[in-house]
Amino acid sequence: MRMEAGEAAAAGAGGRAAGGWGKWVRLNVGGTVFLTTRQTLCREQKSFLSRLCQGEELQSDRDETGAYLIDRDPTYFGPILNFLRHGKLVLDKDMAEEGVLEEAEFYNIGPLVRIIKDRMEEKDYTVTQVPPKHVYRVLQCQEEELTQMVSTMSDGWRFEQLVNIGSSYNYGSEDQAEFLCVVSKELHSSPHGPSSEASRKAKVPVGALSDPRLSWQ
């Protein structure tokens, strides 16, 4: 819970009456007051916040309302406090994980540090994945050979486009139009370069197109 200065002042008397050791604890983080319970702050026993609310060798100053003064960025303290409340890391879409990590390390909240680092490593891994590449081939064929060509394409090759090149030839008693057939194949590469298997397949022509009249362009 975040409190404005006026609300914190109004709530101050109760905290001071209990000597600051009641159930509720106020924290003034970089000028923004947060209200939480001692149980929440003590959830991670080795953390700075746990030691602070237990008074272990941490002589933190207090503001006029009795709230502990902590000279840190309040922007990233909300996710820290919420993690101690329910054990989950919840960030606004515009909040930098690096900023929360810095604060989690300062407050010595080990489980949160590990969660953030795992998330950042996962994102880095995703970014380094190389998008698939496409290899294109152009085949020249006659009209009557189109069906055979498409049906006998080797595995992984896909028909993309058929272009009538405008020329024709006489085949027996019929005139046959000639076409350019564009086919493609998707190659997946690792961040360190294409695998040997992918490279090998990339060099294999569309072997099923075995008609000697089909030529590579």
Side-chain angles (χ1 to χ4, degrees):
M1 181 184 299
R2 181 179 298 187
M3 302 178 64
E4 298 299 332
E7 296 173 317
R16 285 194 295 272
W21 292 98
K23 176 181 177 181
W24 292 94
V25 179
R26 291 183 306 282
L27 304 171
N28 185 333
V29 183
T32 301
V33 176
F34 295 83
L35 180 64
T36 187
T37 65
R38 193 171 304 280
Q39 180 181 7
T40 295
L41 296 180
C42 293
R43 189 146 292 157
E44 288 297 322
Q45 307 245 332
K46 296 182 180 179
S47 72
F48 169 88
L49 296 172
S50 177
R51 295 173 59 198
L52 179 68
C53 70
Q54 293 180 36
E56 291 187 11
E57 303 174 0
L58 295 177
Q59 300 300 322
S60 176
D61 292 334
R62 300 190 183 213
D63 65 12
E64 65 278 4
T65 70
Y68 290 105
L69 286 167
I70 303 176
D71 186 21
R72 302 297 292 185
D73 190 340
T75 303
Y76 302 109
F77 188 73
I80 299 286
L81 191 56
N82 283 332
F83 178 80
L84 292 175
R85 285 168 173 155
H86 50 60
K88 297 180 180 179
L89 174 61
V90 180
L91 301 178
D92 293 337
K93 63 179 181 178
D94 297 328
M95 182 168 290
E97 291 179 334
E98 292 85 350
V100 182
L101 175 61
E102 183 71 23
E103 297 306 295
E105 290 177 337
F106 171 80
Y107 293 113
N108 194 31
I109 304 176
L112 180 56
V113 170
R114 289 190 291 273
I115 289 174
I116 299 175
K117 285 185 175 180
D118 288 344
R119 282 178 54 158
M120 292 174 65
E121 288 176 1
E122 183 177 346
K123 286 185 177 180
D124 289 342
Y125 177 78
T126 302
V127 169
T128 58
Q129 294 303 294
V130 179
K133 296 181 180 180
H134 288 82
V135 175
Y136 293 88
R137 295 288 184 263
V138 180
L139 306 171
Q140 183 176 345
C141 61
Q142 283 76 46
E143 185 175 359
E144 69 170 10
E145 298 163 336
L146 286 174
T147 302
Q148 176 192 359
M149 182 190 68
V150 173
S151 63
T152 57
M153 271 199 239
S154 60
D155 184 46
W157 288 95
R158 184 176 63 180
F159 174 80
E160 294 286 349
Q161 187 177 7
L162 186 66
V163 181
N164 189 330
I165 60 177
S167 62
S168 63
Y169 78 106
N170 185 272
Y171 186 73
S173 60
E174 299 180 356
D175 289 335
Q176 296 285 331
E178 290 189 302
F179 296 87
L180 294 180
C181 181
V182 181
V183 297
S184 70
K185 184 169 185 171
E186 191 175 88
L187 298 179
H188 293 273
S189 302
S190 70
H192 306 292
S195 65
S196 58
E197 178 69 10
S199 300
R200 182 185 67 80
K201 288 184 178 180
K203 297 176 183 178
V204 177
V206 188
L209 306 178
S210 56
D211 192 312
R213 287 171 295 178
L214 303 183
S215 59
W216 294 92
Q217 301 298 309

